[in-house]
Amino acid sequence: MKIAIVCYPTFGGSGVVATELGIALANRGHEIHFITYKQPVRLALLSENIHFHEVNVPEYPLFHYQPYELALSSKLVDMVKLHHIDLLHVHYAIPHAYAGYMAKKMLAEEGITIPMVTTLHGTDITLVGSHPFYKPAVTFSINKSNVVTSVSESLKQDTLRLFDIKGEIDVIPNFIDAAKHAQDPNFSDCQRSVMATEEERIITHVSNFRKVKRIDDVVKIFYEVQKEIPAKLMMVGEGPEREPAEQLCEELGISNKVIFLGNSNEIDKILCFSDLFLLPSETESFGLAALEAMISGVPVISSNTGGIPEVNKHGVSGYLSNVGDIHDMSRNALKILKDENELEKFKAAAKELALQFDINKIVPVYEFIYQKAFEMT
């Protein structure tokens, strides 16, 4: 099957999932065409079965905001015709589902019928998509998709609550490639001593540093933990909340214990020496960062919002707390970190639970969905 994947090519969860899915599908013999404005960050290599087509948006003074969705829909039409693509899989409702629908209509004018699968990832529904300016277009685009999937049951229910959806939404959880995270016994890059002393616990947070991630809560939780045990905090990512977080560390007097690493393509090498992962988000449609931590054997302290409880199981792979309950999160973190046996128990359980989301269990479900889309065309 020849599949066009449309996604944001950034470090965000939707782009990561779309890219990893495309790579896995290519490994299963499908021909994958990524169509976006730059090569996805997780797409290291192109191959016989993996292609990238850049969407160029000409700069015209006439436009205050350049019309990316028009350029994208035109590019989709050209690539479908040139490469005889069989199916469109668009990730994130805005503007991809809308551009995909416009491409379908243009192709239909030339007698070409192509099914479209839309995968909803989170803020495209709960934040941006539900804004009155965009809601009609998002509703229309979802309803015009042949098949719609969401990455969690929580996101599905949010979508049904916020939009007038006419069709079915299939829940397909995000996934992890367990084989990529299987630690080679000869692996020597996990140099824990570079980051911390032997007696220090290493706590990690990975995100795009937006307000929804509650970065100040990450710092405050760590502040409480380091009062009782020796610890270091690794902050991975970039975004508008990084500078305020650095200032908060200065105010609390813990700057020497917090390391801001910026964006990284080597999250697994950072997680390999981590003892605990913090995810106190305001909301998460799924919690892919938590899953990436768990597959590395890192227990998770998180909020109990959105789809996170579908990934992080309370008392098993970590602990859940109400959003903003820094005291409870700190107490739970210490409960795991203070006792070596407790820490090892949670590490093992986190990894075992993450294996339930292995990519080899999820990709066949998408293949079934693609077949379903053909039948509905």
PDB file of all heavy atoms in Angstrom, residues 285-309:
ATOM      1  N   SER A 285      -3.493  14.223  26.276  1.00  0.00           N
ATOM      2  CA  SER A 285      -4.423  13.328  25.585  1.00  0.00           C
ATOM      3  C   SER A 285      -4.023  11.873  25.766  1.00  0.00           C
ATOM      4  O   SER A 285      -4.862  10.973  25.763  1.00  0.00           O
ATOM      5  CB  SER A 285      -4.468  13.661  24.097  1.00  0.00           C
ATOM      6  OG  SER A 285      -3.172  13.539  23.527  1.00  0.00           O
ATOM      7  N   PHE A 286      -2.721  11.631  25.941  1.00  0.00           N
ATOM      8  CA  PHE A 286      -2.218  10.268  26.119  1.00  0.00           C
ATOM      9  C   PHE A 286      -1.093  10.213  27.144  1.00  0.00           C
ATOM     10  O   PHE A 286      -1.171   9.506  28.142  1.00  0.00           O
ATOM     11  CB  PHE A 286      -1.736   9.694  24.779  1.00  0.00           C
ATOM     12  CG  PHE A 286      -1.189   8.294  24.879  1.00  0.00           C
ATOM     13  CD1 PHE A 286      -2.036   7.189  24.894  1.00  0.00           C
ATOM     14  CD2 PHE A 286       0.190   8.076  24.969  1.00  0.00           C
ATOM     15  CE1 PHE A 286      -1.527   5.898  25.006  1.00  0.00           C
ATOM     16  CE2 PHE A 286       0.704   6.792  25.078  1.00  0.00           C
ATOM     17  CZ  PHE A 286      -0.162   5.701  25.098  1.00  0.00           C
ATOM     18  N   GLY A 287      -0.033  10.953  26.904  1.00  0.00           N
ATOM     19  CA  GLY A 287       1.133  10.902  27.792  1.00  0.00           C
ATOM     20  C   GLY A 287       2.251  10.069  27.207  1.00  0.00           C
ATOM     21  O   GLY A 287       2.781   9.169  27.857  1.00  0.00           O
ATOM     22  N   LEU A 288       2.619  10.385  25.949  1.00  0.00           N
ATOM     23  CA  LEU A 288       3.667   9.620  25.271  1.00  0.00           C
ATOM     24  C   LEU A 288       4.996   9.714  26.001  1.00  0.00           C
ATOM     25  O   LEU A 288       5.754   8.746  26.066  1.00  0.00           O
ATOM     26  CB  LEU A 288       3.815  10.102  23.827  1.00  0.00           C
ATOM     27  CG  LEU A 288       4.826   9.358  22.953  1.00  0.00           C
ATOM     28  CD1 LEU A 288       4.444   7.882  22.814  1.00  0.00           C
ATOM     29  CD2 LEU A 288       4.941  10.009  21.580  1.00  0.00           C
ATOM     30  N   ALA A 289       5.282  10.882  26.584  1.00  0.00           N
ATOM     31  CA  ALA A 289       6.541  11.045  27.313  1.00  0.00           C
ATOM     32  C   ALA A 289       6.620  10.074  28.486  1.00  0.00           C
ATOM     33  O   ALA A 289       7.682   9.514  28.780  1.00  0.00           O
ATOM     34  CB  ALA A 289       6.672  12.485  27.813  1.00  0.00           C
ATOM     35  N   ALA A 290       5.479   9.842  29.136  1.00  0.00           N
ATOM     36  CA  ALA A 290       5.445   8.877  30.242  1.00  0.00           C
ATOM     37  C   ALA A 290       5.734   7.470  29.736  1.00  0.00           C
ATOM     38  O   ALA A 290       6.475   6.708  30.369  1.00  0.00           O
ATOM     39  CB  ALA A 290       4.078   8.914  30.931  1.00  0.00           C
ATOM     40  N   LEU A 291       5.175   7.127  28.590  1.00  0.00           N
ATOM     41  CA  LEU A 291       5.393   5.791  28.022  1.00  0.00           C
ATOM     42  C   LEU A 291       6.862   5.595  27.646  1.00  0.00           C
ATOM     43  O   LEU A 291       7.440   4.521  27.877  1.00  0.00           O
ATOM     44  CB  LEU A 291       4.495   5.585  26.801  1.00  0.00           C
ATOM     45  CG  LEU A 291       4.544   4.211  26.145  1.00  0.00           C
ATOM     46  CD1 LEU A 291       4.181   3.105  27.125  1.00  0.00           C
ATOM     47  CD2 LEU A 291       3.629   4.170  24.917  1.00  0.00           C
ATOM     48  N   GLU A 292       7.491   6.633  27.097  1.00  0.00           N
ATOM     49  CA  GLU A 292       8.906   6.535  26.739  1.00  0.00           C
ATOM     50  C   GLU A 292       9.765   6.347  27.994  1.00  0.00           C
ATOM     51  O   GLU A 292      10.779   5.645  27.948  1.00  0.00           O
ATOM     52  CB  GLU A 292       9.341   7.776  25.958  1.00  0.00           C
ATOM     53  CG  GLU A 292       8.759   7.841  24.560  1.00  0.00           C
ATOM     54  CD  GLU A 292       9.418   8.895  23.684  1.00  0.00           C
ATOM     55  OE1 GLU A 292       9.858   9.925  24.231  1.00  0.00           O
ATOM     56  OE2 GLU A 292       9.484   8.694  22.461  1.00  0.00           O
ATOM     57  N   ALA A 293       9.352   6.973  29.077  1.00  0.00           N
ATOM     58  CA  ALA A 293      10.076   6.779  30.339  1.00  0.00           C
ATOM     59  C   ALA A 293       9.881   5.349  30.836  1.00  0.00           C
ATOM     60  O   ALA A 293      10.848   4.676  31.234  1.00  0.00           O
ATOM     61  CB  ALA A 293       9.588   7.778  31.384  1.00  0.00           C
ATOM     62  N   MET A 294       8.660   4.876  30.809  1.00  0.00           N
ATOM     63  CA  MET A 294       8.336   3.549  31.352  1.00  0.00           C
ATOM     64  C   MET A 294       9.062   2.427  30.622  1.00  0.00           C
ATOM     65  O   MET A 294       9.525   1.466  31.246  1.00  0.00           O
ATOM     66  CB  MET A 294       6.819   3.335  31.314  1.00  0.00           C
ATOM     67  CG  MET A 294       6.060   4.168  32.336  1.00  0.00           C
ATOM     68  SD  MET A 294       4.296   4.376  31.955  1.00  0.00           S
ATOM     69  CE  MET A 294       3.761   2.656  31.866  1.00  0.00           C
ATOM     70  N   ILE A 295       9.182   2.545  29.283  1.00  0.00           N
ATOM     71  CA  ILE A 295       9.858   1.477  28.533  1.00  0.00           C
ATOM     72  C   ILE A 295      11.343   1.433  28.886  1.00  0.00           C
ATOM     73  O   ILE A 295      12.000   0.397  28.733  1.00  0.00           O
ATOM     74  CB  ILE A 295       9.673   1.645  27.007  1.00  0.00           C
ATOM     75  CG1 ILE A 295      10.001   0.330  26.268  1.00  0.00           C
ATOM     76  CG2 ILE A 295      10.512   2.776  26.460  1.00  0.00           C
ATOM     77  CD1 ILE A 295       9.087  -0.814  26.568  1.00  0.00           C
ATOM     78  N   SER A 296      11.855   2.552  29.409  1.00  0.00           N
ATOM     79  CA  SER A 296      13.250   2.588  29.871  1.00  0.00           C
ATOM     80  C   SER A 296      13.362   2.184  31.333  1.00  0.00           C
ATOM     81  O   SER A 296      14.434   2.310  31.934  1.00  0.00           O
ATOM     82  CB  SER A 296      13.825   3.993  29.667  1.00  0.00           C
ATOM     83  OG  SER A 296      13.877   4.329  28.297  1.00  0.00           O
ATOM     84  N   GLY A 297      12.249   1.725  31.906  1.00  0.00           N
ATOM     85  CA  GLY A 297      12.268   1.299  33.301  1.00  0.00           C
ATOM     86  C   GLY A 297      12.286   2.446  34.279  1.00  0.00           C
ATOM     87  O   GLY A 297      12.872   2.351  35.360  1.00  0.00           O
ATOM     88  N   VAL A 298      11.636   3.548  33.922  1.00  0.00           N
ATOM     89  CA  VAL A 298      11.577   4.718  34.786  1.00  0.00           C
ATOM     90  C   VAL A 298      10.147   4.917  35.271  1.00  0.00           C
ATOM     91  O   VAL A 298       9.254   5.157  34.456  1.00  0.00           O
ATOM     92  CB  VAL A 298      12.056   5.995  34.047  1.00  0.00           C
ATOM     93  CG1 VAL A 298      12.069   7.186  34.997  1.00  0.00           C
ATOM     94  CG2 VAL A 298      13.434   5.782  33.432  1.00  0.00           C
ATOM     95  N   PRO A 299       9.893   4.816  36.571  1.00  0.00           N
ATOM     96  CA  PRO A 299       8.542   5.050  37.093  1.00  0.00           C
ATOM     97  C   PRO A 299       8.141   6.511  36.927  1.00  0.00           C
ATOM     98  O   PRO A 299       8.997   7.395  36.802  1.00  0.00           O
ATOM     99  CB  PRO A 299       8.640   4.655  38.565  1.00  0.00           C
ATOM    100  CG  PRO A 299      10.090   4.645  38.887  1.00  0.00           C
ATOM    101  CD  PRO A 299      10.833   4.399  37.620  1.00  0.00           C
ATOM    102  N   VAL A 300       6.820   6.756  36.939  1.00  0.00           N
ATOM    103  CA  VAL A 300       6.281   8.073  36.584  1.00  0.00           C
ATOM    104  C   VAL A 300       5.431   8.650  37.713  1.00  0.00           C
ATOM    105  O   VAL A 300       4.548   7.963  38.250  1.00  0.00           O
ATOM    106  CB  VAL A 300       5.428   7.976  35.299  1.00  0.00           C
ATOM    107  CG1 VAL A 300       4.797   9.326  34.964  1.00  0.00           C
ATOM    108  CG2 VAL A 300       6.276   7.480  34.126  1.00  0.00           C
ATOM    109  N   ILE A 301       5.697   9.887  38.046  1.00  0.00           N
ATOM    110  CA  ILE A 301       4.837  10.665  38.944  1.00  0.00           C
ATOM    111  C   ILE A 301       4.095  11.649  38.042  1.00  0.00           C
ATOM    112  O   ILE A 301       4.721  12.477  37.374  1.00  0.00           O
ATOM    113  CB  ILE A 301       5.664  11.434  40.001  1.00  0.00           C
ATOM    114  CG1 ILE A 301       6.401  10.461  40.917  1.00  0.00           C
ATOM    115  CG2 ILE A 301       4.764  12.362  40.802  1.00  0.00           C
ATOM    116  CD1 ILE A 301       5.504   9.572  41.769  1.00  0.00           C
ATOM    117  N   SER A 302       2.766  11.557  38.014  1.00  0.00           N
ATOM    118  CA  SER A 302       2.014  12.365  37.065  1.00  0.00           C
ATOM    119  C   SER A 302       0.709  12.865  37.651  1.00  0.00           C
ATOM    120  O   SER A 302       0.257  12.420  38.708  1.00  0.00           O
ATOM    121  CB  SER A 302       1.711  11.533  35.808  1.00  0.00           C
ATOM    122  OG  SER A 302       0.733  10.542  36.098  1.00  0.00           O
ATOM    123  N   SER A 303       0.082  13.778  36.911  1.00  0.00           N
ATOM    124  CA  SER A 303      -1.280  14.181  37.221  1.00  0.00           C
ATOM    125  C   SER A 303      -2.222  13.090  36.713  1.00  0.00           C
ATOM    126  O   SER A 303      -1.827  12.223  35.928  1.00  0.00           O
ATOM    127  CB  SER A 303      -1.591  15.531  36.568  1.00  0.00           C
ATOM    128  OG  SER A 303      -1.198  15.544  35.214  1.00  0.00           O
ATOM    129  N   ASN A 304      -3.465  13.133  37.160  1.00  0.00           N
ATOM    130  CA  ASN A 304      -4.437  12.092  36.807  1.00  0.00           C
ATOM    131  C   ASN A 304      -5.422  12.566  35.749  1.00  0.00           C
ATOM    132  O   ASN A 304      -6.582  12.166  35.725  1.00  0.00           O
ATOM    133  CB  ASN A 304      -5.191  11.625  38.056  1.00  0.00           C
ATOM    134  CG  ASN A 304      -5.912  12.781  38.750  1.00  0.00           C
ATOM    135  OD1 ASN A 304      -5.958  13.897  38.233  1.00  0.00           O
ATOM    136  ND2 ASN A 304      -6.475  12.523  39.916  1.00  0.00           N
ATOM    137  N   THR A 305      -4.944  13.420  34.862  1.00  0.00           N
ATOM    138  CA  THR A 305      -5.815  14.075  33.899  1.00  0.00           C
ATOM    139  C   THR A 305      -5.758  13.437  32.515  1.00  0.00           C
ATOM    140  O   THR A 305      -4.769  12.805  32.148  1.00  0.00           O
ATOM    141  CB  THR A 305      -5.419  15.565  33.785  1.00  0.00           C
ATOM    142  OG1 THR A 305      -6.320  16.245  32.924  1.00  0.00           O
ATOM    143  CG2 THR A 305      -4.009  15.703  33.248  1.00  0.00           C
ATOM    144  N   GLY A 306      -6.824  13.612  31.739  1.00  0.00           N
ATOM    145  CA  GLY A 306      -6.847  13.161  30.349  1.00  0.00           C
ATOM    146  C   GLY A 306      -6.572  11.678  30.196  1.00  0.00           C
ATOM    147  O   GLY A 306      -7.123  10.844  30.909  1.00  0.00           O
ATOM    148  N   GLY A 307      -5.680  11.352  29.254  1.00  0.00           N
ATOM    149  CA  GLY A 307      -5.374   9.953  28.974  1.00  0.00           C
ATOM    150  C   GLY A 307      -4.238   9.387  29.793  1.00  0.00           C
ATOM    151  O   GLY A 307      -3.908   8.202  29.642  1.00  0.00           O
ATOM    152  N   ILE A 308      -3.640  10.185  30.681  1.00  0.00           N
ATOM    153  CA  ILE A 308      -2.493   9.691  31.450  1.00  0.00           C
ATOM    154  C   ILE A 308      -2.826   8.435  32.264  1.00  0.00           C
ATOM    155  O   ILE A 308      -2.030   7.486  32.274  1.00  0.00           O
ATOM    156  CB  ILE A 308      -1.902  10.789  32.362  1.00  0.00           C
ATOM    157  CG1 ILE A 308      -1.414  11.975  31.539  1.00  0.00           C
ATOM    158  CG2 ILE A 308      -0.735  10.236  33.182  1.00  0.00           C
ATOM    159  CD1 ILE A 308      -0.873  13.133  32.369  1.00  0.00           C
ATOM    160  N   PRO A 309      -3.991   8.372  32.939  1.00  0.00           N
ATOM    161  CA  PRO A 309      -4.304   7.150  33.706  1.00  0.00           C
ATOM    162  C   PRO A 309      -4.453   5.895  32.841  1.00  0.00           C
ATOM    163  O   PRO A 309      -4.424   4.785  33.367  1.00  0.00           O
ATOM    164  CB  PRO A 309      -5.642   7.494  34.389  1.00  0.00           C
ATOM    165  CG  PRO A 309      -5.674   8.981  34.436  1.00  0.00           C
ATOM    166  CD  PRO A 309      -4.996   9.430  33.176  1.00  0.00           C
TER     167      PRO A 309
END
